[in-house]
Amino acid sequence: MEHVTVPPLSRLAICGGTHGNEMSGVYMVREMQKHKDARAGSVAITTVMSNPRAVDACRRYIDKDLNRCFTDALLSSPITDSTPYELLRAKELNDQLGPKGGAGAVDLLCDIHNTTANMGLCLIFYSLDWVTLHIYKYIQSKMTTPVRAIQLDIPLSEAYSLESVGKYGFAIEVGPQPGGVVRADIFNMVKEAVDLTIEWLQRFNSGETFDGGEVEAFSPVQTVDYPRDPTTNEITAAVHPQLQDNDFKLLQPGDPTFLSFSGETMRHEGAALYPFFVNECAYYEKKIAYQLAKKITLTFPSISVKKD
Amino acid sequence: MELVCLPRLPRVAVCGGTHGNELSGVYLVRELLRVQRETSEKEKEEEDKKSMSVLTVLANPKAMQRCSRYIDTDLNRCFTHAILNSPLSDKPPYEMVRSRDLNALLGPKGSCEAVDLVCDLHNTTANMGLCFISYSDCDWICLHIFRHLQRQMPEISMRYIHFDVSNRESYSLDSIGKHGFAIEIGPQPHGVVRSNIYTTMKSGVQHMLDWVHFFNSGTTFEGGLVEVFTMVKNIDYPRDCVTCSITAAIHPKLQDRDFCLLHPGDPMFQTFSGETLRYKGKEALYPFFINECAYYEKGIALSLARKKHVMIPTVRVQTEQEEQANKLGFASEEEE
């Protein structure tokens, strides 16, 4: 693939508390805001507490999931008396860090999240983005803990999450951590990933060339809901103990998926796929027990900063 | 060994959803209700001949609907005599009204109409395994049930925690019954149901009900030593003096090490800037409720306990004669 040059990436936004009970990002942003020097060499860093009301209440959201409010359609919708808090907030964030798709948007937006699923450290991003793939490769090479990538194949106009506001962007998703809780080991992983991101940007801006290559990523295929009672809509089973905590381990046809509260086992039917977001708390209401992905290989070119 | 004869336990209450986002108890009580509904009339007749009746209760349905711990105030702090009996304000918190409803259903607390045993089901984000939480270290019923579960479920880590709070000041739902305890199982995130935790709770409740049935039917249960952890104090997170926001997390070397002895000088917290803060107490104690989500707002990062051994006597249910003799004994005492 042909070498790519990109203008300097001098404006970085680190966002936390997009979901008010995902605590690593909340404390990361608070900690970074204590340091008066908001520049790391060639990179100017903006730290943002995305959903302050939800953070105060220690809840995922007040009216509506903020991280589903960034589609082009929602960002341009007119404000009325009944506009949910999070939609107003999304427009504010779009003004501050964007506008999405515009020349004034921050160069890189990192949004920090936690999950109750045993996913370790994951980067989540939309379509092919050379900058994000390079940062992913860099973080993976420097951290001892496994780092994975989930690529959402959605066009920018329909991209619904905060990181789509930056020229480049990705979510840092780390688990397992209960909502409302901050674990030191998880916080340290997040901090390391953020530090390495800043380091890569500095090296990139200073003129270094980063070799291209290939990385493995996961591409979502489908979601699977819990078995539910048809009358009450209540769930009737929990994720099976053999699937629980086994995110990214291949799920084969016939493997157990659910164990009902009365003791029956349900099994996987269909293609062998990789489960993730297994038993994520916030997804019960979105009717998702786990998601399934195929493994893909992403090839990307070498990259360096564009010199005038 | 000393033999203690205790009154029958004809009425047992199993409660879930006291905190609406502690899901094992919610789904277990729903399952017990479903089984009760689907039990045939004939099976119900046979059950009536059983030695006890079991009430299953979803304690905080509104909080369950919202999947939050509570609506206005923590229901499991609303059962003191003072709160149950003092006049309600104009717009009382939902849970203060609810605790009175539960007191009417399962109590009244302190009276002879109260159910014989309340078992209240909880989850924690702390790595505590299965714990019994009780106000007493000498309620032989609770201690024998604990021992029974330990023997029936040897693969599960189990501990008995004693909160030394007088009956006057006891504040939780399980204090309504003549006997009562909470079963607390972790680690489980709030709002999540983990299959293995659900199964452990289901098993624990079944063994508890079996014990009560055997006890009521005349089985003698041998005494012996039981290890008990008595709560000594709580430790809060270090906080920013202006914002009150926490400035450190539980140290990685303490996280998940519930019931592993904490010595003076051991790491306790790690600040968000990477500094280690150490346990400054003089006495080595046993930590529990390490990093429980709901306790951040109560100012508790972890609780500390002392360990001791309690000798529990052999117990058997009172025979009808012994029950009569007891009543007469009380009556003559009153006359005197």
Side-chain angles (χ1 to χ4, degrees), chain A residues 26-307:
Chain A
V26 172
Y27 288 107
M28 191 72 222
V29 163
R30 279 189 187 151
E31 186 62 19
M32 289 177 82
Q33 282 174 346
K34 275 187 196 167
H35 302 136
K36 282 173 190 154
D37 184 8
R39 271 205 89 84
S42 58
V43 184
I45 303 174
T46 306
T47 48
V48 183
M49 196 68 83
S50 312
N51 195 339
R53 277 185 63 191
V55 170
D56 278 341
C58 198
R59 285 168 48 171
R60 181 176 175 85
Y61 58 81
I62 303 297
D63 297 327
K64 182 182 161 63
D65 187 340
L66 175 59
N67 217 27
R68 300 292 182 277
C69 290
F70 292 92
T71 61
D72 284 8
L74 285 170
L75 285 174
S76 59
S77 61
I79 297 176
T80 68
D81 280 340
S82 54
T83 300
Y85 166 71
E86 275 84 7
L87 210 36
L88 294 170
R89 188 67 189 131
K91 289 161 192 274
E92 277 173 18
L93 290 162
N94 190 44
D95 287 340
Q96 183 186 359
L97 305 173
K100 177 179 172 187
V106 295
D107 296 302
L108 180 64
L109 198 160
C110 288
D111 189 24
I112 302 171
H113 286 264
N114 292 117
T115 174
T116 56
N118 186 27
M119 285 168 65
L121 173 60
C122 285
L123 304 192
I124 305 181
F125 50 89
Y126 294 98
S127 306
L128 301 172
D129 170 347
W130 306 139
V131 168
T132 300
L133 287 174
H134 271 281
I135 295 174
Y136 167 42
K137 185 183 172 215
Y138 189 75
I139 293 176
Q140 209 177 39
S141 69
K142 300 277 186 181
M143 283 181 76
T144 46
T145 191
V147 182
R148 296 182 183 93
I150 297 168
Q151 191 232 337
L152 307 176
D153 195 11
I154 299 176
L156 192 64
S157 59
E158 281 156 59
Y160 47 75
S161 43
L162 174 53
E163 72 273 14
S164 66
V165 170
K167 291 201 182 89
Y168 302 98
F170 56 89
I172 297 176
E173 181 88 54
V174 192
Q177 182 172 269
V181 159
V182 60
R183 286 181 65 103
D185 52 358
I186 301 278
F187 179 84
N188 293 340
M189 253 192 253
V190 167
K191 182 166 195 304
E192 205 182 341
V194 169
D195 287 345
L196 288 168
T197 299
I198 295 170
E199 200 176 275
W200 186 89
L201 288 171
Q202 288 171 321
R203 288 173 68 166
F204 171 83
N205 288 337
S206 72
E208 206 172 314
T209 298
F210 291 90
D211 288 336
E214 267 182 11
V215 281
E216 226 171 50
F218 293 90
S219 179
V221 167
Q222 64 178 115
T223 66
V224 178
D225 190 12
Y226 289 94
R228 289 176 188 271
D229 179 292
T231 334
T232 62
N233 212 32
E234 289 297 340
I235 69 173
T236 54
V239 169
H240 197 279
Q242 281 178 42
L243 173 56
Q244 179 68 54
D245 300 336
N246 282 325
D247 299 68
F248 303 111
K249 298 210 171 100
L250 191 63
L251 185 68
Q252 317 252 26
D255 284 349
T257 49
F258 296 104
L259 182 57
S260 79
F261 297 126
S262 50
E264 287 114 51
T265 297
M266 273 131 263
R267 295 177 184 279
H268 178 59
E269 288 164 20
L273 289 166
Y274 295 88
F276 66 103
F277 279 128
V278 176
N279 207 350
E280 160 52 46
C281 175
Y283 287 178
Y284 282 50
E285 70 175 20
K286 294 192 201 291
K287 308 224 182 299
I288 298 171
Y290 55 92
Q291 301 197 31
L292 291 170
K294 54 184 192 215
K295 217 190 261 189
I296 58 176
T297 305
L298 296 169
T299 313
F300 52 101
S302 58
I303 200 172
S304 63
V305 70
K306 187 180 283 181
K307 289 174 179 143

Side-chain angles (χ1 to χ4, degrees), chain B residues 11-276:
Chain B
R11 294 167 69 218
V12 177
V14 177
C15 306
T18 301
H19 294 133
N21 56 1
E22 292 176 18
L23 296 190
S24 306
V26 169
Y27 286 105
L28 181 53
V29 167
R30 281 195 179 138
E31 176 64 11
L32 292 173
L33 285 166
R34 184 191 71 82
V35 168
Q36 276 177 3
R37 274 196 310 270
E38 290 176 12
T39 307
S40 69
E41 283 306 314
K42 186 179 175 204
E43 287 170 314
K44 276 187 179 136
E45 272 174 32
E46 283 173 18
E47 281 211 5
D48 284 342
K49 292 179 197 154
K50 264 197 159 172
S51 65
M52 69 208 201
S53 64
V54 181
L55 272 129
T56 42
V57 182
L58 289 170
N60 196 340
K62 260 198 185 174
M64 275 167 47
Q65 252 171 17
R66 227 204 248 178
C67 198
S68 65
R69 182 176 175 85
Y70 54 81
I71 303 295
D72 297 322
T73 190
D74 189 344
L75 176 59
N76 215 27
R77 302 290 182 277
C78 290
F79 294 94
T80 59
H81 282 293
I83 293 177
L84 289 173
N85 297 302
S86 58
L88 285 171
S89 62
D90 273 344
K91 285 182 188 164
Y94 167 73
E95 278 84 7
M96 295 242 187
V97 176
R98 187 69 189 135
S99 67
R100 279 155 201 257
D101 290 344
L102 289 162
N103 192 39
L105 177 68
L106 304 175
K109 176 170 171 173
S111 77
C112 49
E113 281 109 58
V115 296
D116 300 285
L117 178 64
V118 172
C119 175
D120 189 24
L121 304 174
H122 287 265
N123 291 116
T124 173
T125 56
N127 186 26
M128 284 167 66
L130 191 158
C131 287
F132 270 41
I133 302 184
S134 168
Y135 290 110
S136 172
D137 59 357
C138 54
D139 183 322
W140 309 135
I141 298 290
C142 297
L143 284 156
H144 265 280
I145 293 173
F146 174 71
R147 214 154 117 87
H148 180 70
L149 259 67
Q150 273 184 317
R151 289 187 169 162
Q152 299 301 314
M153 300 165 70
E155 72 286 1
I156 305 289
S157 292
M158 273 194 220
R159 285 150 191 120
Y160 190 100
I161 302 173
H162 165 224
F163 277 73
D164 195 5
V165 171
S166 70
N167 189 270
R168 245 188 109 65
E169 306 296 319
S170 59
Y171 47 77
S172 50
L173 173 51
D174 49 280
S175 68
I176 288 192
K178 295 196 183 89
H179 304 272
F181 58 90
I183 293 184
E184 182 90 52
I185 310 191
Q188 181 172 271
H190 298 316
V192 159
V193 61
R194 287 181 68 98
S195 190
N196 59 337
I197 304 269
Y198 170 84
T199 301
T200 299
M201 195 177 263
K202 189 172 189 208
S203 215
V205 167
Q206 193 51 59
H207 287 304
M208 185 254 314
L209 294 173
D210 288 347
W211 186 92
V212 173
H213 175 64
F214 296 143
F215 172 79
N216 286 342
S217 309
T219 306
T220 301
F221 291 94
E222 285 292 309
L225 281 176
V226 176
E227 204 175 72
V228 167
F229 292 88
T230 298
M231 193 274 196
V232 170
K233 62 180 173 179
N234 296 319
I235 298 192
D236 192 8
Y237 289 96
R239 289 175 188 272
D240 179 285
C241 24
V242 173
T243 62
C244 283
S245 187
I246 71 172
T247 54
I250 295 283
H251 197 278
K253 290 208 168 118
L254 176 58
Q255 178 69 53
D256 300 336
R257 299 253 215 299
D258 300 69
F259 302 106
C260 297
L261 193 59
L262 182 71
H263 303 91
D266 282 350
M268 215 160 64
F269 297 108
Q270 188 178 76
T271 69
F272 297 119
S273 49
E275 204 193 319
T276 295

